[in-house]
Amino acid sequence: MWIYIAVQFAIKPLNQSNTVQVLPLIQTLKSDITTDQWMDYVDSFTGRDSRECGIITVKNTAGYYMGVLCYKVVEDVTHQIVMDVSNYVTADMLGRNDISETLLEWLEGQASERGCQAIHLTIDIRNTIIPENGYTKSIPNQLINKGYVCDAVRLCKKINENPTTQH
């Protein structure tokens, strides 16, 4: 088992002992999801036996879960091997986006290590809290500023390419 530690956050795979603790983050996407539904999803998602997949969590030094994402490595017609990411949730406070920044750095490093040519990141805009005032930055804008571009209903970042080249 690996753990990636960045400044004040630990990024590690979800396991049975912390599945329920992550539920409040998932409920920001789907407020009516039950504990049983979430547990069933986790079991079915992590039980796949095709390509690599996982559910990643971000925990702060106080022991609170502040972020989660689900990923799977898949083949894509346009970008060949991609890291396909869904259920991306971060509880960034005070508009600093530290948790999102940490999670994105981990995601990009892992995609590169796995030989992915791109990351496809799907965000549910309707149910994601996106602050838009003078003191905060929106997570979609942060993703775009890091090189992700709108690609249909998802954001896409090509890996190992010139950062000024956009798709």
Side-chain angles (χ1 to χ4, degrees):
M1 175 165 168
W2 48 266
I3 298 174
Y4 174 85
I5 299 177
V7 188
Q8 63 227 15
F9 306 110
I11 297 178
K12 54 186 175 179
L14 182 74
N15 62 45
Q16 290 298 327
S17 68
N18 61 8
T19 301
V20 175
Q21 292 172 305
V22 176
L23 181 59
L25 288 170
I26 294 301
Q27 287 173 328
T28 66
L29 297 175
K30 182 169 175 40
S31 61
D32 62 344
I33 190 170
T34 66
T35 301
D36 288 340
Q37 289 171 325
W38 171 235
M39 299 290 280
D40 289 346
Y41 176 80
V42 169
D43 289 343
S44 73
F45 190 87
T46 57
R48 297 171 190 229
D49 51 38
S50 54
R51 284 199 178 264
E52 183 181 1
C53 65
I55 299 175
I56 301 303
T57 63
V58 180
K59 192 175 187 180
N60 68 10
T61 56
Y64 294 103
Y65 287 93
M66 304 298 289
V68 64
L69 68 77
C70 301
Y71 79 91
K72 55 189 168 190
V73 177
V74 299
E75 293 185 37
D76 179 72
V77 172
T78 308
H79 300 119
Q80 292 129 9
I81 304 297
V82 301
M83 186 170 277
D84 188 39
V85 179
S86 60
N87 302 314
Y88 181 90
V89 181
T90 62
D92 289 306
M93 303 298 174
L94 305 174
R96 293 178 37 197
N97 292 329
D98 293 348
I99 299 158
S100 184
E101 181 76 23
T102 301
L103 199 50
L104 289 171
E105 287 175 12
W106 176 89
L107 183 61
E108 292 168 15
Q110 294 298 309
S112 183
E113 283 182 24
R114 289 169 171 78
C116 296
Q117 283 74 47
I119 297 169
H120 291 172
L121 177 59
T122 304
I123 298 177
D124 183 353
I125 298 295
R126 294 170 310 179
N127 297 317
T128 301
I129 299 169
I130 303 172
E132 289 287 354
N133 64 40
Y135 299 103
T136 60
K137 298 188 297 186
S138 79
I139 290 173
N141 282 340
Q142 179 192 23
L143 293 169
I144 290 166
N145 290 339
K146 287 195 56 68
Y148 289 81
V149 295
C150 187
D151 181 354
V153 294
R154 67 179 182 220
L155 295 166
C156 173
K157 179 173 183 176
K158 292 185 179 182
I159 303 295
N160 300 325
E161 279 198 356
N162 181 343
T164 60
T165 304
Q166 299 204 352
H167 179 269

